[in-house]
Amino acid sequence: MKRSVSHVAMALALTLGTAGAIGVAAPAYAQKQPKMEISKEFQPHAVAIQESVNGSAENPQVAASQQQAMDALNKVLGARDDASRAAAQAELDAARANVDQQMGGVLAKLNAGRPTLSTADDKLFFGQMEQNVGQKMADFAMQQSGIQLMIDSGKLPPEELPKYHYFAGLSAFNSQNYADARTSLQKAVDGGYVDGGAEKMLVDSYLRDNMTAEGLTKLKSMITAKMAAGQPVPEGWAFDGLAASVNQNQRDQAFDWALLTLQTDSRAQARGQAYNIFEAYTPNYSDEEQLDVLRLMSRDNGITESRQALTYLELMQPLRRPGEAKTFTDKGTQLPAGHSMVTEAKRVGAERYDSTLRELNADASGATGNGAVAIADTYLGYGKAAEAEAAYRKGLETGAADKAKAQMGLGIALADQGKYAEAKQAFGQVTTGNRASLAKAWIAYVDNKAG
């Protein structure tokens, strides 16, 4: 979720705090805090800068100008044309100038003091002041500079460094300095800091910088690591990968990202779009394999286009599976009214529904091997999941030639009965060929159904 600029600044303020409480040089500071090694050259500048910062802490005029700067920055970022952007930038520049004036010309004081920094405490103090001023001016580049100087001082507690790297990266990201954002955010993540969406922001720092391949590689490694560790994958991660790969017209990658989205995202809209890509980009699936894709989509409200509905009708072969034809046409999902294929499927379903079911019941007890699997497959369309399960098991036990197909059908029959753990186990037996990826999609479905 995109965060507003004001929320980002608030996060910085709450986590890093304000620097006005830090004293320098004055005797009272030395009595209350460990002595800071402020250099002689920087000393007068430090006092002047702190007076500006501390004097603004409770100043309502500064607070009002800060809000104006935030509002103007949001306008700059949201501008849709050059004229709007220029007008918003002028408003932002004016608000920042007001903040500077109300803080006693603090920018000039910072510029004068910077060349005199020499000690670690000089850098730590100056960085905190600069971050504070940058926050008041809605200037993310200034905030990044200040936070980075605090890090470079070497005075921060080691256990706090990942957090500061994160906020340096966050500030760089929001100022669209994606190269610096990547550097800082990688250090934050490597240090174990994952709050505030640090991992995803690291990925986005690649994607926003037209480094799609690198960003998707990073994102996939994060997702697979979490899945391998049994950790939840934040919803939206895989879908972002799907969107990026589709926009780059990377069909193979898009198919993989669609599957990852189904495995990690429970949102109906995301799953619907993932199904669209999964179905459209299936790699050399046979008709029977594609049929099981559409069976899955039908069960998970994933058929969203008339093309998909008509393809499902074509692949199910109503004469062979009248029960499935009748069930689907009665449901009517995305079926174009008056289409000849729909009309024919309805006719066949109505005329052959009862007679075919009687034939199934008569033949089921004596069928073995491939015959049992064919009967089981037809039973599925009638909603006779228990009967289908029994026939699939019998087919597997008596020499069915296509064991992957039979195992897949068994999983579907179990899932239709709500036996999700058993269904997952059945699908898990399918590990080779095209059906391996299809089985993963079905496992994602039963996992989502099981909650």
Side-chain angles (χ1 to χ4, degrees):
M1 181 176 68
K2 185 177 180 181
R3 303 172 68 195
S4 69
V5 172
S6 58
H7 287 170
V8 172
M10 184 179 295
L12 279 168
L14 292 175
T15 306
L16 296 180
T18 60
I22 297 178
V24 293
Y29 173 81
Q31 295 171 5
K32 296 179 181 179
Q33 302 286 345
K35 184 177 180 180
M36 296 183 74
E37 297 295 332
I38 300 298
S39 67
K40 181 179 179 181
E41 293 78 13
F42 179 53
Q43 181 82 12
H45 300 289
V47 172
I49 293 167
Q50 185 178 30
E51 287 176 349
S52 288
V53 171
N54 285 354
S56 69
E58 303 297 332
N59 188 328
Q61 290 182 315
V62 173
S65 295
Q66 178 181 357
Q67 187 59 54
Q68 290 172 0
M70 283 292 179
D71 292 342
L73 181 56
N74 275 319
K75 291 179 183 178
V76 170
L77 297 176
R80 296 182 177 273
D81 55 69
D82 291 342
S84 299
R85 189 173 297 104
Q89 186 63 52
E91 186 179 335
L92 176 59
D93 292 342
R96 286 173 173 171
N98 287 338
V99 173
D100 181 43
Q101 181 182 25
Q102 292 157 0
M103 294 183 72
V106 69
L107 291 180
K109 295 177 182 180
L110 288 170
N111 289 335
R114 191 185 303 273
T116 69
L117 303 178
S118 59
T119 70
D121 284 332
D122 287 355
K123 297 175 182 178
L124 177 63
F125 174 82
F126 188 94
Q128 291 182 334
M129 294 291 148
E130 186 175 37
Q131 186 273 325
N132 184 288
V133 175
Q135 182 180 314
K136 287 182 168 60
M137 291 189 173
D139 189 328
F140 288 115
M142 186 182 294
Q143 291 182 54
Q144 179 205 353
S145 175
I147 298 167
Q148 190 60 52
L149 193 57
M150 294 163 65
I151 294 170
D152 293 342
S153 75
K155 297 287 288 186
L156 295 175
E159 66 274 11
E160 293 291 307
L161 280 175
K163 177 181 72 174
Y164 280 86
H165 282 304
Y166 165 72
F167 281 107
L170 173 61
S171 299
F173 186 91
N174 282 307
S175 63
Q176 300 180 356
N177 181 352
Y178 298 121
D180 281 359
R182 285 192 293 275
T183 299
S184 295
L185 291 168
Q186 187 65 64
K187 291 178 180 179
V189 171
D190 289 345
Y193 191 89
V194 295
D195 293 346
E199 294 168 296
K200 186 56 169 57
M201 194 182 302
L202 172 59
V203 171
D204 288 343
S205 70
Y206 286 95
L207 300 181
R208 298 280 185 92
D209 210 15
N210 295 317
M211 299 175 68
T212 304
E214 295 87 344
L216 291 182
T217 298
K218 178 74 68 175
L219 180 58
K220 184 170 285 187
S221 68
M222 290 178 178
I223 291 174
T224 54
K226 287 184 179 294
M227 292 174 69
Q231 299 173 353
V233 176
E235 291 191 329
W237 278 25
F239 185 78
D240 283 355
L242 173 60
S245 60
V246 169
N247 289 337
Q248 293 289 315
N249 198 29
Q250 299 172 343
R251 292 181 64 93
D252 292 345
Q253 292 89 334
F255 178 83
D256 292 341
W257 282 108
L259 178 56
L260 276 176
T261 299
L262 294 174
Q263 290 174 313
T264 62
D265 205 319
S266 64
R267 299 172 302 167
Q269 185 175 7
R271 295 181 69 81
Q273 294 190 51
Y275 276 128
N276 285 342
I277 299 302
F278 189 84
E279 183 267 336
Y281 289 4
T282 47
N284 302 316
Y285 273 23
S286 68
D287 286 352
E288 288 292 307
E289 291 161 348
Q290 196 74 13
L291 173 61
D292 282 346
V293 172
L294 290 160
R295 282 171 164 171
L296 168 60
M297 292 170 63
S298 179
R299 284 162 171 79
D300 204 20
N301 299 314
I303 293 181
T304 57
E305 301 174 2
S306 60
R307 176 193 61 80
Q308 296 165 342
L310 292 174
T311 300
Y312 185 22
L313 280 183
E314 179 182 5
L315 294 178
M316 75 172 62
Q317 302 176 49
L319 284 171
R320 179 178 172 185
R321 302 179 179 91
E324 195 159 357
K326 186 176 188 306
T327 298
F328 186 62
T329 54
D330 285 350
K331 188 177 180 183
T333 304
Q334 297 296 327
L335 289 171
H339 193 284
S340 60
M341 187 181 296
V342 177
T343 302
E344 178 65 9
K346 286 183 176 180
R347 183 191 66 79
V348 171
E351 291 180 358
R352 293 180 54 84
Y353 186 91
D354 291 334
S355 61
T356 300
L357 182 57
R358 285 194 297 270
E359 292 171 7
L360 289 176
N361 292 335
D363 296 342
S365 61
T368 60
N370 294 341
V373 170
I375 287 173
D377 183 75
T378 309
Y379 265 138
L380 281 180
Y382 281 91
K384 303 286 186 179
E387 291 85 343
E389 175 193 349
Y392 277 124
R393 291 191 185 280
K394 188 175 182 182
L396 285 166
E397 293 168 358
T398 55
D402 192 343
K403 293 190 180 301
K405 176 183 176 180
Q407 198 71 43
M408 180 75 68
L410 175 59
I412 297 172
L414 290 165
D416 284 352
Q417 296 175 77
K419 299 178 179 179
Y420 299 128
E422 292 180 60
K424 185 173 181 177
Q425 185 177 18
F427 291 130
Q429 299 297 312
V430 184
T431 58
T432 60
N434 288 337
R435 288 191 181 276
S437 57
L438 179 53
K440 290 178 182 178
W442 275 97
I443 288 173
Y445 164 74
V446 298
D447 281 345
N448 193 51
K449 293 290 286 186

